[in-house]
Amino acid sequence: MKQIDNMAKNFNILLIDDSDVDNFINKAIISKEDNISQITTMTSGREALTHLSSIIDNTEAYPDVIFLDIKMPGMNGFEFLDEYVNLPDSITDHCKIYILSSSMDNLDAEKGKEYPLIKKQLTKPLAHHIIGDLLNED
């Protein structure tokens, strides 16, 4: 398990993926880290936006990191991002967003580059050895 320096905070993680299995696996991988305070899973972009809107006045509930699937029914990851930018800056400036997708589609990768909010695009499932590095990225 990768240790993060003792001065580091505990992280609040939001997983947005329509697959309960993927959410379960990724939550299990993330929960092995020592510095995770909460992991919330949402199965749709719309549900996640509703959740984020409901915590606007509670900065301690803000996710530090969002892992976002691209291929979801109803509202895909890019549509989520298009709506996410309309949330208050207090939330959007706080959260780091990582695409976490099984899509090998080059069009998705290229489209992802159009969103400056995306820190990095990752392939499912998360790899345990990179979680600490992602949490410490600026």
Side-chain angles (χ1 to χ4, degrees):
M1 206 175 311
K2 182 165 182 154
Q3 285 285 79
I4 297 181
D5 71 57
N6 292 333
M7 303 299 279
K9 64 181 225 161
N10 285 328
F11 290 89
N12 184 349
I13 309 294
L14 175 58
L15 290 167
I16 307 170
D17 195 315
D18 62 308
S19 168
D20 288 328
V21 171
D22 286 339
N23 277 333
F24 178 82
I25 292 168
N26 289 318
K27 185 174 182 177
I29 291 167
I30 294 167
S31 68
K32 292 180 190 277
E33 289 295 315
D34 292 332
N35 59 335
I36 304 298
S37 60
Q38 181 175 344
I39 303 169
T40 303
T41 59
M42 301 281 163
T43 56
S44 76
R46 182 66 53 211
E47 177 186 25
L49 287 170
T50 300
H51 168 71
L52 292 168
S53 294
S54 75
I55 62 170
I56 287 172
D57 295 327
N58 183 5
T59 57
E60 292 195 14
Y62 288 4
D64 299 295
V65 175
I66 297 173
F67 291 105
L68 175 64
D69 186 23
I70 292 298
K71 304 283 188 188
M72 295 185 288
M75 174 182 272
N76 69 35
F78 296 123
E79 293 166 332
F80 167 85
L81 290 169
D82 291 340
E83 295 291 324
Y84 175 84
V85 297
N86 296 320
L87 291 171
D89 291 346
S90 60
I91 290 181
T92 60
D93 291 346
H94 182 84
C95 303
K96 296 179 195 173
I97 299 178
Y98 296 93
I99 297 298
L100 184 58
S101 182
S102 57
S103 174
M104 302 302 284
D105 187 341
N106 287 335
L107 293 175
D108 286 341
E110 288 303 312
K111 184 165 183 162
K113 292 176 184 176
E114 298 173 13
Y115 291 86
L117 291 170
I118 298 173
K119 297 288 276 177
K120 193 176 283 182
Q121 297 184 50
L122 308 167
T123 304
K124 288 183 197 177
L126 273 172
H128 180 268
H129 66 276
I130 67 165
I131 300 291
D133 292 338
L134 294 176
L135 295 177
N136 282 325
E137 283 184 351
D138 288 329

Short mmCIF file of all heavy atoms in Angstrom, two decimals, residues 62 84-95:
data_model
loop_
_atom_site.label_atom_id
_atom_site.label_comp_id
_atom_site.label_asym_id
_atom_site.label_seq_id
_atom_site.Cartn_x
_atom_site.Cartn_y
_atom_site.Cartn_z
N TYR A 62 -17.65 17.89 -0.31
CA TYR A 62 -17.20 17.94 -1.70
C TYR A 62 -16.26 16.77 -1.99
O TYR A 62 -15.35 16.50 -1.20
CB TYR A 62 -16.43 19.22 -2.00
CG TYR A 62 -17.22 20.49 -2.07
CD1 TYR A 62 -18.57 20.55 -1.78
CD2 TYR A 62 -16.57 21.66 -2.41
CE1 TYR A 62 -19.26 21.75 -1.84
CE2 TYR A 62 -17.26 22.87 -2.47
CZ TYR A 62 -18.60 22.90 -2.18
OH TYR A 62 -19.28 24.09 -2.24
N TYR A 84 -21.67 19.85 -15.49
CA TYR A 84 -20.83 20.04 -14.31
C TYR A 84 -20.22 21.44 -14.27
O TYR A 84 -20.13 22.06 -13.20
CB TYR A 84 -19.74 18.97 -14.31
CG TYR A 84 -18.72 19.09 -13.21
CD1 TYR A 84 -18.96 18.57 -11.94
CD2 TYR A 84 -17.49 19.71 -13.44
CE1 TYR A 84 -18.02 18.67 -10.94
CE2 TYR A 84 -16.54 19.82 -12.44
CZ TYR A 84 -16.81 19.30 -11.20
OH TYR A 84 -15.88 19.40 -10.19
N VAL A 85 -19.81 21.96 -15.42
CA VAL A 85 -19.18 23.28 -15.46
C VAL A 85 -20.13 24.39 -15.02
O VAL A 85 -19.67 25.50 -14.72
CB VAL A 85 -18.58 23.61 -16.85
CG1 VAL A 85 -17.49 22.64 -17.21
CG2 VAL A 85 -19.66 23.65 -17.92
N ASN A 86 -21.43 24.11 -14.96
CA ASN A 86 -22.41 25.10 -14.51
C ASN A 86 -22.56 25.13 -12.99
O ASN A 86 -23.26 25.99 -12.46
CB ASN A 86 -23.77 24.84 -15.16
CG ASN A 86 -23.70 25.02 -16.66
OD1 ASN A 86 -23.05 25.93 -17.16
ND2 ASN A 86 -24.35 24.13 -17.39
N LEU A 87 -21.93 24.17 -12.30
CA LEU A 87 -21.96 24.19 -10.84
C LEU A 87 -21.09 25.34 -10.35
O LEU A 87 -20.22 25.82 -11.07
CB LEU A 87 -21.45 22.85 -10.29
CG LEU A 87 -22.33 21.63 -10.53
CD1 LEU A 87 -21.61 20.35 -10.13
CD2 LEU A 87 -23.64 21.76 -9.74
N PRO A 88 -21.27 25.75 -9.10
CA PRO A 88 -20.45 26.84 -8.57
C PRO A 88 -18.95 26.50 -8.60
O PRO A 88 -18.55 25.34 -8.44
CB PRO A 88 -20.93 26.98 -7.12
CG PRO A 88 -22.29 26.37 -7.10
CD PRO A 88 -22.28 25.30 -8.14
N ASP A 89 -18.14 27.54 -8.77
CA ASP A 89 -16.69 27.36 -8.80
C ASP A 89 -16.16 26.70 -7.53
O ASP A 89 -15.14 26.02 -7.57
CB ASP A 89 -15.98 28.71 -8.98
CG ASP A 89 -16.19 29.30 -10.36
OD1 ASP A 89 -16.65 28.57 -11.27
OD2 ASP A 89 -15.91 30.50 -10.53
N SER A 90 -16.85 26.89 -6.43
CA SER A 90 -16.39 26.28 -5.17
C SER A 90 -16.29 24.77 -5.30
O SER A 90 -15.39 24.15 -4.71
CB SER A 90 -17.33 26.65 -4.02
OG SER A 90 -18.64 26.20 -4.26
N ILE A 91 -17.16 24.16 -6.08
CA ILE A 91 -17.10 22.71 -6.30
C ILE A 91 -16.15 22.39 -7.45
O ILE A 91 -15.26 21.56 -7.31
CB ILE A 91 -18.50 22.13 -6.61
CG1 ILE A 91 -19.37 22.15 -5.36
CG2 ILE A 91 -18.39 20.69 -7.14
CD1 ILE A 91 -20.76 21.59 -5.55
N THR A 92 -16.34 23.05 -8.58
CA THR A 92 -15.55 22.68 -9.76
C THR A 92 -14.06 22.95 -9.58
O THR A 92 -13.24 22.23 -10.14
CB THR A 92 -16.07 23.39 -11.03
OG1 THR A 92 -15.99 24.81 -10.85
CG2 THR A 92 -17.50 22.98 -11.34
N ASP A 93 -13.71 23.96 -8.80
CA ASP A 93 -12.29 24.22 -8.54
C ASP A 93 -11.71 23.24 -7.54
O ASP A 93 -10.50 23.05 -7.48
CB ASP A 93 -12.09 25.65 -8.01
CG ASP A 93 -12.36 26.72 -9.05
OD1 ASP A 93 -12.44 26.38 -10.26
OD2 ASP A 93 -12.50 27.89 -8.66
N HIS A 94 -12.56 22.63 -6.75
CA HIS A 94 -12.10 21.71 -5.69
C HIS A 94 -11.82 20.30 -6.21
O HIS A 94 -10.90 19.64 -5.74
CB HIS A 94 -13.16 21.65 -4.58
CG HIS A 94 -12.77 20.78 -3.44
ND1 HIS A 94 -11.97 21.22 -2.41
CD2 HIS A 94 -13.04 19.48 -3.18
CE1 HIS A 94 -11.78 20.23 -1.56
NE2 HIS A 94 -12.43 19.16 -2.00
N CYS A 95 -12.62 19.84 -7.16
CA CYS A 95 -12.58 18.45 -7.60
C CYS A 95 -11.59 18.21 -8.74
O CYS A 95 -11.52 18.98 -9.67
CB CYS A 95 -13.96 18.01 -8.08
SG CYS A 95 -15.26 18.19 -6.87
#
